[in-house]
Amino acid sequence: ANRSPSNAVKEKSELNLVFISRISEKKNLLFLVEMLSRHPDLNIALDIYGPIEDKAYWEECNKLVVQDKRIKYVGLAHPNQITEVLQQYHFSVLPTKHENYGHSIAESITSLVPVLVSKNTPWLNLVDYNIGYDLELDEKVWLNCMHQLILMNQAEYNEAMISCATFAKNNILSDKIIQQNQKLFSLEY
C-alpha cells in the first residue's frame, strides 16, 4: 500500500485519528476519549484498534465510546495489515503515560502517517522534523493542537507525509537494520 500526496486526502475542517495499541491504563486511551466527550463540537473521528488488556479500564473508556458517534472500537489489526490500517487516517495518536521505545510510533511514521503522542516517549521534538507533535498530557494543550490539525490543509499535510518518508529513511529504517546487525554480531561473540 503506497501512500503519497496524490492519494491521501486532508480536507480543512476534518481530522481522522487512529489509536493502535494495547488497551491498558498505561496507554492512556481514556484521556483521549474523555477529552472528545467534553468537546462534542470537534469534527474529529477516532478509531480504536488493539487487544483489550485491562477489561475494567476498557469498560470505563467504552462508557464514553458508545455515547459518541465519532469514536468506535474496530477490534484487532493484523500485524501484516497495520500499514494499510494506519494509512486510512490523518494521524495516529498515543497519549501514553510511558513508552521505552514506542514501536507503534515508528510504524506510523514509516507508513507516512504523522503522529500525535505524549511527551512520555523517546520521540521528542517531532515538530522540528514536521512528523507530528509530542505534547504534555494536558487537555488544553491537546485541544489546541487538535484545532490546528483540523485546520491543516492538503498542502501542509503533504509536507508532513514527505517529512515522515525522509525521517523514516534517515532514522528509523537504518536503526532497525543496525539493531538486526547487532543481534547477529552478538550471536557470534
Side-chain angles (χ1 to χ4, degrees), residues 76-181:
L76 300 180
H78 192 278
N80 301 343
Q81 290 171 324
I82 286 185
T83 295
E84 229 169 295
V85 167
L86 281 164
Q87 291 184 342
Q88 298 165 34
Y89 302 90
H90 297 132
F91 278 76
S92 70
V93 60
L94 189 66
T96 182
K97 291 181 178 176
H98 175 72
E99 222 59 48
N100 288 325
Y101 178 66
H103 287 281
S104 63
I105 300 169
E107 194 127 21
S108 188
I109 295 164
T110 308
S111 303
L112 311 194
V113 180
V115 298
L116 183 53
V117 299
S118 70
K119 285 209 176 284
N120 309 324
T121 85
W123 301 86
L124 298 172
N125 309 315
L126 300 180
V127 171
D128 296 351
Y129 300 99
N130 192 28
I131 57 174
Y133 298 82
D134 47 287
L135 307 173
E136 298 292 344
L137 280 176
D138 173 290
E139 189 166 306
K140 276 206 189 86
V141 173
W142 279 68
L143 279 171
N144 241 337
C145 186
M146 300 247 179
H147 280 294
Q148 262 180 287
L149 298 185
I150 288 170
L151 293 175
M152 188 181 232
N153 64 28
Q154 186 73 56
E156 293 165 321
Y157 190 71
N158 290 350
E159 287 294 315
M161 263 192 289
I162 293 163
S163 299
C164 285
T166 307
F167 185 90
K169 197 175 78 195
N170 296 338
N171 301 282
I172 302 171
L173 300 173
S174 50
D175 280 353
K176 274 189 184 161
I177 293 162
I178 290 163
Q179 283 168 346
Q180 284 163 350
N181 287 341

Side-chain angles (χ1 to χ4, degrees), residues 34-58:
E34 282 181 337
M35 178 173 63
L36 286 176
S37 71
R38 278 195 279 269
H39 298 273
D41 55 318
L42 278 180
N43 192 16
I44 289 178
L46 170 66
D47 283 359
I48 300 160
Y49 290 81
I52 294 164
E53 222 170 63
D54 180 336
K55 290 226 161 55
Y57 182 76
W58 169 244

Side-chain angles (χ1 to χ4, degrees), residues 181-189:
N181 287 341
Q182 281 170 340
K183 278 195 190 112
L184 285 176
F185 289 126
S186 61
L187 292 176
E188 289 173 25
Y189 295 102

